[in-house]
Amino acid sequence: MVTSGPRLLSNVIRSQDALHAPYGGVVPELAARAHLQTLVPVIERALEDAGTRWEQIDGLGVTRGPGLIGCLLVGVNLAQAIAWARKLPVIGVSHLAAHVYAGQLEDKDLRPPVLGLVVSGGHSDLIRWQEDGSIVVIGRTRDDAAGEAFDKGARILGLPFPGGPAIDKLAAEADPRAVAFPRPRAPGLDFSFSGVKTALLYEVRKRGEISDQERADLAASYQEAIVDALLQRVEAAQAEHPAPTIVLGGGVARNRRLREAAEARLGRRAHLVIPSPELCTDNAAMVGAAGLIEWERRGPDLEPFDADPSLGFD
Ligand code: KG4
Ligand code: ZN
């Protein structure tokens, strides 16, 4: 829950990691069902944590996409139902834009133009929040998302899902220069991670039985290749489309090596905003902040049902 500023009032996150872990990846059907079960209790908890009553709420922000369609439908339906019942405006926002706008919850003076790197289980995108307030995608992945590369790499190394945190943890005590994995390259500002993933697979197959130290060194070297590729693209984007501020977002932005290397490589070029881990991973607070920002810019766009006379609700 957010208020003007935007200022964070509460941020309740119900992780589905344990639900999907046995399958080694997100199962869309289960994700949608879990949204159905958890949304109402999560909203109630967010109101409670913020010490807010429904009467004090002025509007609702909801993710309209991109994302898993079943989950999006559950969210948009619930937002519209609440809006209808409470006569509130709804603002449908872009999931990717919300990750960039999350930077404003850390730095309320953050204004466009901003360059954003959004890296999660489903996305590796370079985003530019333009001078006129619009959002454009200037680079995207050609194959796996960065989070997927972490998850699949972890599986190859025999680590549990989600793989990103497992690799992050193991890499902390290991040598990132143990194996020189190829740096993923795609044309222009795009990303590609399938090559480095295959290189890891071949390296593990070649070695056969691996010791714990080898596993950790492989994890650290693999992580280093992904982090290097991500930051190389941010540097290229910054050279092509300069912006005074850079924001990182998405679950992979929780990665400690990425956060540290970003400070070292990007901190001198731009004002770097790396939101707290809770604001990097998918969260409703960033969608609330996005709702406020978009509302100011263009007003509400999903009207409650009874606001449309053609639906015959009066
Ligand atoms: O944004 P997110 O929480 O959910 C969506 O994908 O929408 O991102 C999850 C992804 C997973 O692929 C997970 O492995 C990765 O973020 N991740 C990490 C770390 N924590 C989560 N990757 C690298 N290092 C981490 N510490
Ligand atoms: Zn996300």
Side-chain angles (χ1 to χ4, degrees):
M1 191 156 301
V2 295
T3 187
S4 51
R7 191 163 59 84
L8 184 67
L9 295 181
S10 63
N11 190 15
V12 180
I13 298 177
R14 182 74 58 89
S15 167
Q16 294 189 10
D17 283 352
L19 177 69
H20 301 291
Y23 307 94
V26 174
V27 183
E29 168 86 17
L30 294 182
R33 286 171 187 266
H35 271 68
L36 213 48
Q37 285 168 337
T38 53
L39 276 187
V40 170
V42 163
I43 290 172
E44 281 171 347
R45 178 73 192 280
L47 281 163
E48 197 184 308
D49 286 2
T52 306
R53 284 170 289 108
W54 271 114
E55 295 70 39
Q56 298 171 282
I57 302 291
D58 296 321
L60 301 158
V62 64
T63 305
R64 61 158 74 218
L68 293 174
I69 189 66
C71 302
L72 293 171
L73 282 173
V74 172
V76 169
N77 266 299
L78 182 61
Q80 286 193 315
I82 295 172
W84 175 65
R86 305 212 61 93
K87 313 271 185 287
L88 293 172
V90 182
I91 305 101
V93 301
S94 148
H95 179 80
L96 298 176
H99 274 296
V100 180
Y101 296 154
Q104 263 200 5
L105 291 168
E106 298 290 354
D107 173 0
K108 64 178 175 35
D109 297 324
L110 189 96
R111 294 287 175 275
V114 172
L115 178 64
L117 173 71
V118 178
V119 272
S120 70
H123 294 277
S124 290
D125 292 301
L126 276 165
I127 313 266
R128 201 164 182 285
W129 184 8
Q130 305 282 58
E131 285 78 351
D132 67 1
S134 62
I135 291 276
V136 290
V137 178
I138 57 174
R140 55 177 62 75
T141 184
R142 297 278 176 122
D143 38 58
D144 291 340
E148 242 180 314
F150 271 103
D151 295 337
K152 291 178 178 172
R155 197 198 283 213
I156 293 169
L157 289 167
L159 300 169
F161 175 85
I167 289 183
D168 188 346
K169 196 165 156 221
L170 212 56
E173 307 294 321
D175 179 9
R177 287 173 306 275
V179 182
F181 284 119
R183 287 344 192 204
R185 284 277 156 92
L189 295 175
D190 285 353
F191 300 99
S192 165
F193 296 105
S194 58
V196 66
K197 184 188 65 190
T198 308
L200 174 68
L201 179 67
Y202 287 164
E203 188 65 32
V204 170
R205 278 201 191 144
K206 189 178 84 189
R207 296 187 184 205
E209 216 36 40
I210 53 171
S211 68
D212 287 350
Q213 188 58 50
E214 270 183 292
R215 180 177 290 107
D217 286 344
L218 285 165
S221 304
Y222 183 69
Q223 171 177 274
E224 197 64 18
I226 296 175
V227 166
D228 188 25
L230 292 174
L231 296 180
Q232 192 277 334
R233 280 292 181 268
V234 178
E235 286 166 348
Q238 177 67 349
E240 267 183 54
H241 312 276
T245 308
I246 298 175
V247 175
L248 304 192
V252 178
R254 301 172 71 120
N255 184 269
R256 286 172 292 173
R257 179 65 191 137
L258 177 62
R259 297 170 81 91
E260 171 194 275
E263 290 286 355
R265 284 171 65 165
L266 309 173
R268 274 173 282 116
R269 291 164 190 260
H271 171 49
L272 179 65
V273 179
I274 311 180
S276 67
E278 295 70 37
L279 290 173
C280 281
T281 200
D282 281 349
N283 67 87
M286 71 178 188
V287 179
L292 276 175
I293 292 168
E294 292 287 327
W295 193 357
E296 258 172 40
R297 192 165 90 87
R298 59 175 164 81
D301 54 1
L302 295 176
E303 293 292 331
F305 294 146
D306 68 347
D308 183 352
S310 67
L311 294 173
F313 277 112
D314 356 331

